[in-house]
Amino acid sequence: MENLVSNEVSILTDAPSAINSLLVNNATMKALVYHGPGKKAWEGKPKPLIQETTDAIVKILKTTICGTDLHIMKGDLPEVTAGRILGHEGVGIIEEVGSSVSNFKKGDHVIISCITSCGKCEYCKKGMYSHCEKGGWILGYMIDGTQAEYVRIPYADNSLYPIPEGSDEEALVMLSDILPTGFECGVLNGQVKPGDTIAIVGAGPVGMAALLTAQFYTPAEIIVIDQDDNRLEVAKTFGATHTINSSTNNAIEKIMALTNGKGVDTAIEAVGVPATFELCEAIIAAGGHIANIGVHGKSVTLHLETLWSRNISITTRLVDTVTTPMLLKTVQSKKIQPKKLITHRFKLDQMIEAYDTFGNAAKEKALKVILEK
Amino acid sequence: MENLVSNEVSILTDAPSAINSLLVNNATMKALVYHGPGKKAWEGKPKPLIQETTDAIVKILKTTICGTDLHIMKGDLPEVTAGRILGHEGVGIIEEVGSSVSNFKKGDHVIISCITSCGKCEYCKKGMYSHCEKGGWILGYMIDGTQAEYVRIPYADNSLYPIPEGSDEEALVMLSDILPTGFECGVLNGQVKPGDTIAIVGAGPVGMAALLTAQFYTPAEIIVIDQDDNRLEVAKTFGATHTINSSTNNAIEKIMALTNGKGVDTAIEAVGVPATFELCEAIIAAGGHIANIGVHGKSVTLHLETLWSRNISITTRLVDTVTTPMLLKTVQSKKIQPKKLITHRFKLDQMIEAYDTFGNAAKEKALKVILEK
Amino acid sequence: MENLVSNEVSILTDAPSAINSLLVNNATMKALVYHGPGKKAWEGKPKPLIQETTDAIVKILKTTICGTDLHIMKGDLPEVTAGRILGHEGVGIIEEVGSSVSNFKKGDHVIISCITSCGKCEYCKKGMYSHCEKGGWILGYMIDGTQAEYVRIPYADNSLYPIPEGSDEEALVMLSDILPTGFECGVLNGQVKPGDTIAIVGAGPVGMAALLTAQFYTPAEIIVIDQDDNRLEVAKTFGATHTINSSTNNAIEKIMALTNGKGVDTAIEAVGVPATFELCEAIIAAGGHIANIGVHGKSVTLHLETLWSRNISITTRLVDTVTTPMLLKTVQSKKIQPKKLITHRFKLDQMIEAYDTFGNAAKEKALKVILEK
Amino acid sequence: MENLVSNEVSILTDAPSAINSLLVNNATMKALVYHGPGKKAWEGKPKPLIQETTDAIVKILKTTICGTDLHIMKGDLPEVTAGRILGHEGVGIIEEVGSSVSNFKKGDHVIISCITSCGKCEYCKKGMYSHCEKGGWILGYMIDGTQAEYVRIPYADNSLYPIPEGSDEEALVMLSDILPTGFECGVLNGQVKPGDTIAIVGAGPVGMAALLTAQFYTPAEIIVIDQDDNRLEVAKTFGATHTINSSTNNAIEKIMALTNGKGVDTAIEAVGVPATFELCEAIIAAGGHIANIGVHGKSVTLHLETLWSRNISITTRLVDTVTTPMLLKTVQSKKIQPKKLITHRFKLDQMIEAYDTFGNAAKEKALKVILEK
């Protein structure tokens, strides 16, 4: 579809300078291209062009790989077509902007949000950017993404965020997706409050992001549950007050013992399988909140026969990235160190190697990998 | 247990007048007594006595029967022991108060809340009276209830509400349970807002209470779904803008058509079976709220494989009756006519007949029955 | 400034059709033009042209006059320059859209919001459109307005609202400013709840809008205070439960008597002078909310020596019109009849006559006047 | 009034053991007694007796002096009568409980709340304990207080909080008044959020309590303003990111410079004079919150002529101590160190000396003084 558009506009050779950028571009770049389940390559692709007046072209400085990219590679998201450049996270420099873009100009450093927001549909006006009628999660999914030297960002004014001078840009890559996901879906939906006892089920990158951002609200106790002792050790250094390896312990019993039989005020599900969601159901206190972050492929059993009278809430959410400006302020003021999430660093053209490392996260003790120019 | 207490205090024959009420009382009264599954009688029982300084004895003026009473009669709540007087709703006159009761005195007219609140445990302080450590729902369940000439109300200061002079007391019986249940569990948890489109699944008494109280927040459209055409007709007169008989129609298709494929902002489940809860899952809009009121006996299937990304909330709640003062103001100012819910009237000693009528609600076109002195 | 822009773009005579609208336009139209304090004329002006790709040109079908227009005419807002076309309310038909506008096309019927929102600045993203870095209230103030045959609307996608087919467009003129102002600044900020007792101080158009929209939340009592008996009579027909003429009564005493000495839960100030604000301070209950709508020209005395311990909130707000979609749904579903606010109707070219009528509101018993094509 | 009650009950010499405590008590204790403006003594007083079944007698382990006590000593609160024992803060051991008290028993260690809550009036049910119809702030004001060896606490179940075993009780004295005051009136009312820029005007004990508890919500910048360099130095060690001495600097200019001319998201007034409140008005950002904590003796000028359009809130509150359980959890989990507020320690019978020190707070560099048994 994108090539089609590029061809179409190539006839506008006499257009005034404002739309010069719509000319065919023979420049190429390197990118991570999906070629169907199990097949990928770091290969040449045409450098992206401005297609709409609201677009920006961003030169990637740093990007990363998400668990969702691994799912795409496995073929779990069949709607992703062969030829697609993957990746929906990163920071970069504005290379060019469409004529309607007013928040950014060439040379600005920006955070790329994983969610594209048009800023003018019903959902965007409500702050539900994830359900934007023209955007939402499309980067590296429905349109080409950020695991490349350049990327086209639609609705740039509403989908990019300016990086203050002097920032640690590596840390800010975590603001593209993982920090707002843990924060919005887990911490905000979970209504974490000072003094609360909370449980985070799953200590992968997004669970860790929930762990870091939950501390914005000063819970008294944070119990992290996982099956990987290494990740639990890391969780302790990130602020967990208790950790439980659920493969070698009865997590429900342990949590109920820790909470005097009351259960936790907030349970954050950061895995996405029935067993972990049902664990949350079992440990939630009366009046508590189960906040789902996990991407689920199957239905789960909801035990309404006990929960109907427990005054609980269960929430789901696809990240809206509406809190990115707030998160940026907390990073700038050093209230949070998202850099802690980065375990491995590569050059951009080591992309395949980085995928291998991230694909063996447990063995490699990987959380987030950074690929930089 | 209650008899035990009465015996124990009978020895205090020389106690000063403040505890005179603890004397054995040979007075009797008539009451609806549960004698095990399927067995009940309107029979003589000792008139209740003050047991704690925080108790009140209330002479019943009007009471009613709840669907839960029918469940008890079927044996669905085996924790209810034979000999128990049923009933957890009603209005009455204060007959006597314990020495610590300060909000009420003999002769005051009161609404009896279905929820007993001690006012001083952790849950009561948070407004979660339903989980009161010493109260909650105990009336006509763990202790003797209101389907009787007299009832003992523990923690009277926090569990009774004064009736303003000149009130229509019949209407106020609806404040004991059904109106706060529909309002708190359905309308408040469902976050109904002006202009919303909402669905109420189940047009029994509690669904009707949700229908009446939802209108406090001026939703644009209220779709009521049931399998009983009579109840749907009544729902229209109560303010439903659309009704759907789900036994003869594909409710999901109809609702999606009515909402341009978006679904409803709030879906209120007022039945308590898997099919109706899953209907709510199918019709909820992105960003919407499923508010469960139904008492569920089985687990349900939660379709997280689609709902994980829909930004929804699901809530459960046992009514707290914390909104009773608010609801009383709306009744007094004639903003709501709860009397509409009353379809049949009996004398108190027609209790068995009233149970028969209410037990055949569909055939008798019954919503709420009133039994009066 | 606008002429300058028009001249500048006139040289683009070879531009492709997408920017044809930027040509100089010799067409003229009639408009209400401000010529300095006390001077106005209904006279010829150039028809507005698209200046930015985000603009729309709207042909006015119906407009109205606001109290603020009278203030401008008096010279109270010296920043308004001579030559300005006044007016910031109206409905119309899209005549032309800039190339970036995607929500609207020629022929669409639209509500014009009094607030211009760019949709992409920090404030717009927070829903504080009133403080939009490029918009806010500029129509008929900093740029030409709606009391004309045509108007240019910047950021049309975020500043216009589509009118559903078959609507009563006269009623919808009330959505440009007055209804969202009464609702957002008065009712939402005032946190009106079911069962509340509220006071509205000032029964002019915006107080009446607060009166109508307060009923979305079903307060028990609505006390309206004004010095004009006619307006108080109208307030009764709009839903006021009590009215007080403060020129012939001690309003404070009356309100305290009506509320058993407690005061009101919410006091909405809809006048804008010290006396009415201080009345609100005197009648607010402990725990209550004073919501200011009035445009104040002077400071007021805040009695913190009594209010510091009263657990109250005081709020101010310039309308954001962020609730326009919600309000539109309530109008479409006939939950509110804003048409009630319209007392007089004129043809567009009777503008001067309409100003005369509206300028003598008390004598003419005028609330809102409609001017239609 | 209390003596009267004691005399009255002295005739009940034959009462059963449950009311034995109502006997006349000839035991005496030492207490700080107010004898009119400027006069106080540490002298003998009768040990308090249980008067109501809901009372508890608490043996004081640690108490402190509040700025309000100094105001009483100056005669600023003429409603305080000569003979009154002052003090409304402290921790102690339950010596005796009335027959209705069920949350506590002899020997329990407790925090005494400065606010007495009956738990059953309209205000208590809403969590507005400060306005309790029978309580509120009465300790050391309307009834005898905590600067004594023993104190009678009315409504003990709702006005005392249990101290977990092994706690640092000195730190918990700060939970009687100062921490909930800073937190509820300043931080909660001020709606402090992650990433916010906030200002705290006044670095006395309550401003410091706001400073400590504001950090529960992780603001990015905390600007503290005072006229005492020592207190500003202390504020820095407590977490202030910027401090301004307003006696030697133009605070408004400095704050506007620090915030790029936008002002602060939240301004907390912790002094109680017109100048500091008006400073808050001058530095508040559009959309911001002014949270008043200060006890004001005079009215202030509210600049509605500029603030009317700024979308701000102003709040007042007498502390409700409804957050005491939450605060206790944060202290127990070491998320906050209220002990930092304690600068001086005395024995209980050094009360006069402690008053002298606290009365010269600036010179003595005093924040809170502790008096212990």
Side-chain angles (χ1 to χ4, degrees):
Chain A
M1 191 190 90
E2 287 183 284
N3 282 336
L4 199 69
V5 175
S6 300
N7 289 338
E8 191 180 2
V9 298
S10 70
I11 56 168
L12 292 173
T13 45
D14 297 327
S17 68
I19 48 173
N20 259 350
S21 60
L22 296 178
L23 293 171
V24 137
N25 188 340
N26 294 313
T28 59
M29 65 169 183
K30 283 295 185 67
L32 189 282
V33 182
Y34 171 70
H35 289 293
K39 297 182 206 152
K40 63 178 179 292
W42 178 252
E43 66 187 21
K45 287 280 274 183
K47 200 179 144 186
L49 298 168
I50 295 284
Q51 292 178 16
E52 305 283 343
T53 62
T54 46
D55 287 349
I57 303 298
V58 178
K59 181 179 178 180
I60 295 295
L61 291 174
K62 297 176 199 295
T63 186
T64 182
I65 305 170
C66 178
T68 303
D69 298 324
L70 302 183
H71 277 289
I72 294 173
M73 286 310 308
K74 282 185 198 156
D76 290 350
L77 289 87
E79 62 273 31
V80 180
T81 53
R84 173 69 60 234
I85 300 174
L86 300 189
H88 50 266
E89 300 165 273
V91 299
I93 303 177
I94 297 281
E95 178 86 0
E96 187 182 1
V97 295
S99 59
S100 303
V101 174
S102 59
N103 286 350
F104 302 101
K105 63 179 190 308
K106 186 174 161 71
D108 287 352
H109 286 231
V110 293
I111 300 165
I112 300 166
S113 174
C114 66
I115 296 294
T116 300
S117 163
C118 77
K120 53 193 192 183
C121 72
E122 175 192 345
Y123 293 105
C124 284
K125 286 180 183 174
K126 288 197 284 192
M128 268 177 72
Y129 304 163
S130 59
H131 288 70
C132 171
E133 288 171 3
K134 294 171 179 174
W137 176 42
I138 55 174
L139 265 190
Y141 176 53
M142 290 295 144
I143 67 172
D144 283 341
T146 60
Q147 291 167 2
E149 291 180 292
Y150 295 90
V151 63
R152 181 182 69 90
I153 301 296
Y155 305 106
D157 278 336
N158 290 73
S159 309
L160 297 173
Y161 294 89
I163 295 181
E165 216 172 321
S167 300
D168 177 351
E169 299 195 345
E170 195 176 71
L172 298 183
V173 175
M174 304 299 112
L175 289 189
S176 288
D177 177 348
I178 193 164
L179 274 192
T181 297
F183 184 55
E184 296 178 5
C185 308
V187 177
L188 287 186
N189 270 5
Q191 299 180 42
V192 177
K193 292 185 305 299
D196 275 0
T197 295
I198 74 170
I200 297 172
V201 182
V206 80
M208 293 297 196
L211 172 56
L212 289 174
T213 55
Q215 295 172 64
F216 288 157
Y217 296 100
T218 318
E221 311 290 344
I222 309 178
I223 308 166
V224 175
I225 300 98
D226 201 291
Q227 301 187 332
D228 180 326
D229 278 330
N230 170 56
R231 288 189 159 177
L232 292 173
E233 278 311 304
V234 175
K236 275 188 189 165
T237 70
F238 281 19
T241 58
H242 303 82
T243 58
I244 298 172
N245 186 322
S246 57
S247 67
T248 53
N249 287 274
N250 183 325
I252 297 175
E253 267 180 25
K254 286 220 149 203
I255 294 165
M256 296 315 275
L258 278 169
T259 57
N260 297 319
K262 293 204 168 174
V264 298
D265 299 304
T266 297
I268 296 177
E269 205 284 346
V271 179
V273 300
T276 47
F277 191 86
E278 291 181 38
L279 171 59
C280 292
E281 295 182 33
I283 61 174
I284 195 70
H289 307 284
I290 298 176
N292 186 76
I293 312 180
V295 177
H296 290 260
K298 293 181 191 167
S299 64
V300 306
T301 300
L302 181 61
H303 291 286
L304 279 184
E305 74 278 17
T306 54
L307 295 174
W308 76 268
S309 65
R310 296 276 287 166
N311 296 36
I312 64 157
S313 77
I314 298 169
T315 51
T316 70
R317 187 167 180 177
L318 180 56
V319 63
D320 293 301
T321 67
V322 71
T323 61
T324 302
M326 173 192 277
L327 291 167
L328 183 54
K329 288 179 194 168
T330 65
V331 175
Q332 289 304 106
S333 59
K334 311 215 182 299
K335 301 303 179 193
I336 185 174
Q337 281 74 39
K339 206 168 174 165
K340 288 181 178 175
L341 293 163
I342 301 168
T343 52
H344 295 72
R345 288 169 179 83
F346 299 89
K347 288 290 167 187
L348 205 50
D349 57 13
Q350 293 174 291
M351 184 65 76
I352 300 297
E353 192 181 332
Y355 258 87
D356 288 345
T357 297
F358 188 66
N360 286 292
K363 185 178 150 237
E364 300 285 351
K365 302 191 175 181
L367 283 171
K368 291 295 279 185
V369 302
I370 282 285
L371 295 115
E372 62 186 317
K373 185 67 191 174
Chain B
M1 194 191 91
E2 287 183 282
N3 281 335
L4 200 69
V5 174
S6 300
N7 290 338
E8 189 178 4
V9 298
S10 68
I11 55 168
L12 292 173
T13 45
D14 298 326
S17 67
I19 48 173
N20 259 351
S21 60
L22 296 178
L23 293 171
V24 138
N25 187 341
N26 295 314
T28 59
M29 64 168 184
K30 284 295 186 67
L32 189 281
V33 182
Y34 170 70
H35 289 294
K39 297 182 205 151
K40 63 177 178 291
W42 178 251
E43 67 187 22
K45 288 279 274 183
K47 200 179 144 188
L49 298 168
I50 295 283
Q51 293 179 16
E52 305 282 343
T53 61
T54 45
D55 286 349
I57 304 298
V58 179
K59 181 179 178 181
I60 295 295
L61 292 174
K62 297 175 200 295
T63 186
T64 181
I65 305 170
C66 177
T68 303
D69 298 324
L70 301 183
H71 277 289
I72 293 173
M73 286 311 309
K74 282 185 199 156
D76 292 349
L77 289 87
E79 63 272 31
V80 180
T81 52
R84 175 69 61 235
I85 301 175
L86 301 188
H88 50 265
E89 300 164 274
V91 300
I93 302 177
I94 298 281
E95 178 86 359
E96 186 182 1
V97 294
S99 60
S100 303
V101 174
S102 59
N103 285 350
F104 302 101
K105 63 178 191 307
K106 185 174 162 72
D108 286 351
H109 286 230
V110 293
I111 300 166
I112 300 166
S113 174
C114 65
I115 296 294
T116 300
S117 163
C118 76
K120 53 193 192 183
C121 71
E122 175 193 345
Y123 293 106
C124 284
K125 286 179 181 174
K126 289 196 285 192
M128 267 178 71
Y129 305 163
S130 58
H131 289 70
C132 171
E133 289 172 3
K134 294 173 180 172
W137 176 41
I138 54 173
L139 265 190
Y141 176 53
M142 290 295 144
I143 66 172
D144 284 340
T146 59
Q147 291 167 2
E149 291 181 292
Y150 294 90
V151 64
R152 181 181 69 91
I153 301 296
Y155 304 107
D157 277 336
N158 290 73
S159 308
L160 298 173
Y161 293 89
I163 295 181
E165 216 172 321
S167 299
D168 177 350
E169 300 195 345
E170 194 175 71
L172 298 183
V173 176
M174 304 299 111
L175 289 190
S176 288
D177 177 349
I178 193 163
L179 274 193
T181 297
F183 183 55
E184 295 178 6
C185 310
V187 176
L188 288 185
N189 269 6
Q191 299 181 41
V192 176
K193 292 185 305 299
D196 274 0
T197 296
I198 74 170
I200 297 171
V201 182
V206 79
M208 293 297 196
L211 172 56
L212 289 175
T213 55
Q215 296 172 63
F216 289 157
Y217 295 100
T218 319
E221 311 290 344
I222 309 178
I223 308 166
V224 176
I225 301 97
D226 200 292
Q227 301 186 332
D228 180 326
D229 277 330
N230 169 56
R231 287 188 160 178
L232 291 173
E233 278 311 304
V234 175
K236 275 189 188 164
T237 69
F238 281 20
T241 58
H242 303 83
T243 59
I244 299 173
N245 186 321
S246 57
S247 67
T248 53
N249 287 274
N250 182 324
I252 297 175
E253 267 180 25
K254 286 219 148 203
I255 293 165
M256 296 315 276
L258 278 170
T259 57
N260 297 318
K262 293 203 169 175
V264 298
D265 299 303
T266 297
I268 296 176
E269 206 283 348
V271 179
V273 300
T276 47
F277 191 86
E278 291 181 40
L279 170 58
C280 292
E281 295 182 33
I283 62 173
I284 195 70
H289 307 285
I290 298 176
N292 185 76
I293 311 180
V295 178
H296 290 259
K298 293 181 190 167
S299 64
V300 306
T301 301
L302 180 62
H303 291 286
L304 279 185
E305 74 278 17
T306 54
L307 295 173
W308 76 268
S309 65
R310 296 277 285 166
N311 296 36
I312 64 157
S313 77
I314 298 170
T315 51
T316 70
R317 186 168 179 176
L318 179 57
V319 64
D320 293 301
T321 66
V322 71
T323 61
T324 303
M326 173 191 277
L327 290 167
L328 183 55
K329 289 180 194 169
T330 65
V331 176
Q332 290 303 105
S333 60
K334 310 214 182 302
K335 301 303 180 193
I336 185 174
Q337 280 74 39
K339 205 167 176 165
K340 287 180 177 174
L341 292 163
I342 302 167
T343 52
H344 296 73
R345 287 168 180 85
F346 300 89
K347 288 290 167 188
L348 204 50
D349 57 14
Q350 293 173 293
M351 185 65 77
I352 300 297
E353 190 182 333
Y355 259 86
D356 289 345
T357 298
F358 188 66
N360 287 293
K363 185 179 150 236
E364 301 284 352
K365 302 190 175 182
L367 284 171
K368 290 296 280 185
V369 302
I370 283 285
L371 296 114
E372 62 187 316
K373 185 66 191 174
Chain C
M1 190 190 92
E2 287 183 283
N3 283 335
L4 199 70
V5 176
S6 299
N7 289 338
E8 188 179 4
V9 298
S10 69
I11 56 168
L12 291 173
T13 45
D14 298 326
S17 66
I19 48 172
N20 258 351
S21 60
L22 295 178
L23 293 171
V24 138
N25 188 340
N26 294 314
T28 60
M29 65 168 184
K30 284 295 186 66
L32 190 283
V33 182
Y34 172 71
H35 289 293
K39 298 183 206 149
K40 63 178 178 291
W42 178 251
E43 65 187 21
K45 287 279 274 184
K47 200 179 143 186
L49 297 167
I50 295 284
Q51 293 178 17
E52 304 283 343
T53 61
T54 45
D55 286 350
I57 303 300
V58 179
K59 181 179 178 180
I60 295 294
L61 291 175
K62 297 176 199 295
T63 185
T64 182
I65 305 170
C66 177
T68 302
D69 298 324
L70 301 184
H71 278 289
I72 294 173
M73 287 310 309
K74 284 185 199 155
D76 292 348
L77 290 87
E79 63 272 32
V80 180
T81 52
R84 174 69 61 233
I85 300 174
L86 301 188
H88 49 266
E89 300 164 273
V91 300
I93 302 177
I94 297 280
E95 178 86 359
E96 187 181 359
V97 295
S99 60
S100 302
V101 174
S102 59
N103 285 351
F104 302 101
K105 63 178 189 308
K106 185 175 161 73
D108 286 353
H109 286 231
V110 293
I111 300 165
I112 299 166
S113 174
C114 65
I115 297 294
T116 299
S117 162
C118 76
K120 53 193 191 183
C121 72
E122 175 193 344
Y123 293 105
C124 284
K125 286 180 181 174
K126 287 197 284 194
M128 268 178 71
Y129 304 164
S130 58
H131 288 70
C132 172
E133 289 170 4
K134 296 173 178 172
W137 176 43
I138 54 173
L139 264 190
Y141 177 53
M142 291 295 144
I143 65 172
D144 284 340
T146 59
Q147 291 167 1
E149 291 182 293
Y150 294 89
V151 63
R152 181 183 69 91
I153 302 296
Y155 305 106
D157 278 335
N158 290 73
S159 308
L160 298 173
Y161 294 88
I163 296 182
E165 216 172 322
S167 299
D168 178 350
E169 299 194 345
E170 194 176 70
L172 298 183
V173 176
M174 304 299 111
L175 290 190
S176 287
D177 178 347
I178 193 165
L179 274 192
T181 297
F183 184 54
E184 296 179 4
C185 309
V187 177
L188 287 186
N189 270 6
Q191 301 182 39
V192 177
K193 292 184 305 299
D196 274 359
T197 295
I198 74 171
I200 298 171
V201 182
V206 80
M208 293 295 196
L211 171 57
L212 289 175
T213 56
Q215 295 172 65
F216 289 158
Y217 295 100
T218 318
E221 311 290 344
I222 309 178
I223 307 166
V224 176
I225 301 97
D226 201 292
Q227 302 187 330
D228 180 325
D229 279 330
N230 170 55
R231 286 190 161 177
L232 292 173
E233 279 311 303
V234 175
K236 275 189 188 163
T237 70
F238 282 18
T241 58
H242 305 80
T243 58
I244 298 172
N245 187 321
S246 56
S247 67
T248 53
N249 288 274
N250 183 324
I252 297 175
E253 266 179 26
K254 286 220 149 202
I255 293 166
M256 296 316 274
L258 278 169
T259 57
N260 298 317
K262 294 204 168 174
V264 298
D265 299 304
T266 297
I268 296 176
E269 205 283 347
V271 179
V273 300
T276 47
F277 191 86
E278 290 180 40
L279 171 59
C280 292
E281 294 182 33
I283 62 173
I284 197 68
H289 308 284
I290 299 177
N292 185 75
I293 312 179
V295 178
H296 290 259
K298 293 182 191 167
S299 64
V300 306
T301 301
L302 180 61
H303 291 285
L304 279 184
E305 74 278 18
T306 53
L307 294 174
W308 75 269
S309 66
R310 295 277 286 166
N311 297 36
I312 65 157
S313 77
I314 298 170
T315 51
T316 70
R317 187 169 180 176
L318 179 56
V319 63
D320 294 300
T321 67
V322 71
T323 61
T324 304
M326 173 192 275
L327 291 167
L328 183 55
K329 288 179 194 169
T330 65
V331 176
Q332 290 303 105
S333 60
K334 310 212 181 302
K335 301 302 180 194
I336 186 174
Q337 278 76 39
K339 205 167 175 165
K340 288 180 178 174
L341 293 163
I342 303 167
T343 52
H344 296 73
R345 288 170 180 83
F346 299 90
K347 286 290 167 188
L348 204 49
D349 56 14
Q350 294 174 289
M351 184 65 76
I352 300 297
E353 191 181 333
Y355 260 85
D356 289 345
T357 297
F358 188 66
N360 287 292
K363 185 181 149 232
E364 301 283 351
K365 303 191 175 182
L367 283 170
K368 290 295 279 185
V369 302
I370 281 285
L371 295 116
E372 62 188 316
K373 184 69 192 172
Chain D
M1 190 190 94
E2 287 183 283
N3 282 335
L4 199 70
V5 175
S6 299
N7 290 339
E8 188 179 5
V9 297
S10 68
I11 56 167
L12 291 172
T13 45
D14 298 325
S17 67
I19 49 173
N20 259 350
S21 61
L22 296 178
L23 293 172
V24 137
N25 188 341
N26 295 314
T28 59
M29 64 170 185
K30 284 294 185 67
L32 190 281
V33 183
Y34 171 71
H35 289 292
K39 299 183 205 149
K40 63 178 178 290
W42 177 251
E43 66 187 22
K45 287 280 274 184
K47 200 179 144 189
L49 298 167
I50 295 283
Q51 294 178 15
E52 304 284 342
T53 61
T54 45
D55 286 350
I57 303 299
V58 179
K59 182 179 179 181
I60 294 295
L61 291 175
K62 296 175 199 296
T63 185
T64 182
I65 306 170
C66 177
T68 303
D69 298 324
L70 301 183
H71 278 289
I72 293 173
M73 286 311 308
K74 283 186 199 154
D76 291 349
L77 290 86
E79 62 272 33
V80 180
T81 53
R84 174 70 60 234
I85 300 174
L86 301 189
H88 49 266
E89 300 165 273
V91 301
I93 302 177
I94 297 280
E95 178 86 358
E96 186 183 1
V97 294
S99 60
S100 303
V101 174
S102 58
N103 285 350
F104 302 101
K105 62 179 190 307
K106 185 175 161 71
D108 287 351
H109 286 231
V110 293
I111 300 164
I112 300 166
S113 175
C114 65
I115 296 294
T116 299
S117 163
C118 76
K120 53 194 192 182
C121 72
E122 175 192 346
Y123 293 105
C124 284
K125 287 179 182 174
K126 288 196 285 192
M128 268 177 72
Y129 304 163
S130 58
H131 289 69
C132 172
E133 289 171 3
K134 296 173 179 170
W137 176 42
I138 55 174
L139 264 190
Y141 176 52
M142 291 295 143
I143 65 173
D144 283 341
T146 59
Q147 291 167 2
E149 292 181 292
Y150 295 90
V151 64
R152 182 182 68 91
I153 301 296
Y155 305 106
D157 278 335
N158 290 73
S159 308
L160 297 173
Y161 294 88
I163 295 182
E165 216 172 321
S167 298
D168 177 349
E169 300 195 344
E170 195 176 70
L172 298 183
V173 176
M174 304 299 111
L175 290 190
S176 287
D177 177 348
I178 193 165
L179 274 192
T181 297
F183 184 55
E184 296 179 4
C185 309
V187 177
L188 287 186
N189 270 7
Q191 301 180 39
V192 177
K193 292 184 305 299
D196 274 359
T197 295
I198 74 171
I200 297 172
V201 182
V206 80
M208 293 295 196
L211 172 57
L212 289 175
T213 55
Q215 296 172 64
F216 289 157
Y217 296 100
T218 317
E221 311 291 344
I222 309 179
I223 307 165
V224 175
I225 301 97
D226 201 291
Q227 301 187 332
D228 181 325
D229 278 331
N230 170 57
R231 286 189 161 177
L232 292 173
E233 279 311 304
V234 175
K236 273 188 191 164
T237 71
F238 282 17
T241 58
H242 304 81
T243 58
I244 299 172
N245 187 321
S246 57
S247 67
T248 53
N249 287 275
N250 182 325
I252 297 175
E253 266 179 27
K254 286 221 149 200
I255 293 165
M256 295 316 273
L258 279 169
T259 56
N260 297 317
K262 294 203 169 176
V264 298
D265 300 305
T266 297
I268 296 176
E269 205 283 346
V271 179
V273 300
T276 46
F277 191 87
E278 291 181 38
L279 171 58
C280 292
E281 295 183 34
I283 62 173
I284 196 69
H289 308 284
I290 298 176
N292 185 75
I293 312 180
V295 178
H296 290 260
K298 294 181 190 167
S299 64
V300 305
T301 301
L302 180 62
H303 291 285
L304 279 184
E305 74 279 18
T306 54
L307 294 174
W308 75 269
S309 66
R310 296 277 287 167
N311 296 36
I312 64 157
S313 77
I314 298 169
T315 51
T316 71
R317 187 170 180 175
L318 179 57
V319 63
D320 294 300
T321 66
V322 71
T323 62
T324 303
M326 174 192 275
L327 290 167
L328 183 55
K329 288 179 195 170
T330 65
V331 176
Q332 289 304 104
S333 59
K334 311 213 181 302
K335 302 302 179 192
I336 187 174
Q337 279 75 38
K339 204 166 176 165
K340 288 180 179 175
L341 293 163
I342 302 167
T343 52
H344 296 73
R345 288 169 180 82
F346 299 90
K347 287 290 168 189
L348 205 48
D349 55 15
Q350 295 174 289
M351 184 65 76
I352 300 296
E353 190 180 333
Y355 259 85
D356 288 346
T357 298
F358 188 66
N360 287 293
K363 185 181 149 232
E364 301 283 352
K365 302 191 177 182
L367 283 171
K368 290 296 279 185
V369 302
I370 282 285
L371 295 115
E372 62 187 316
K373 185 66 193 173

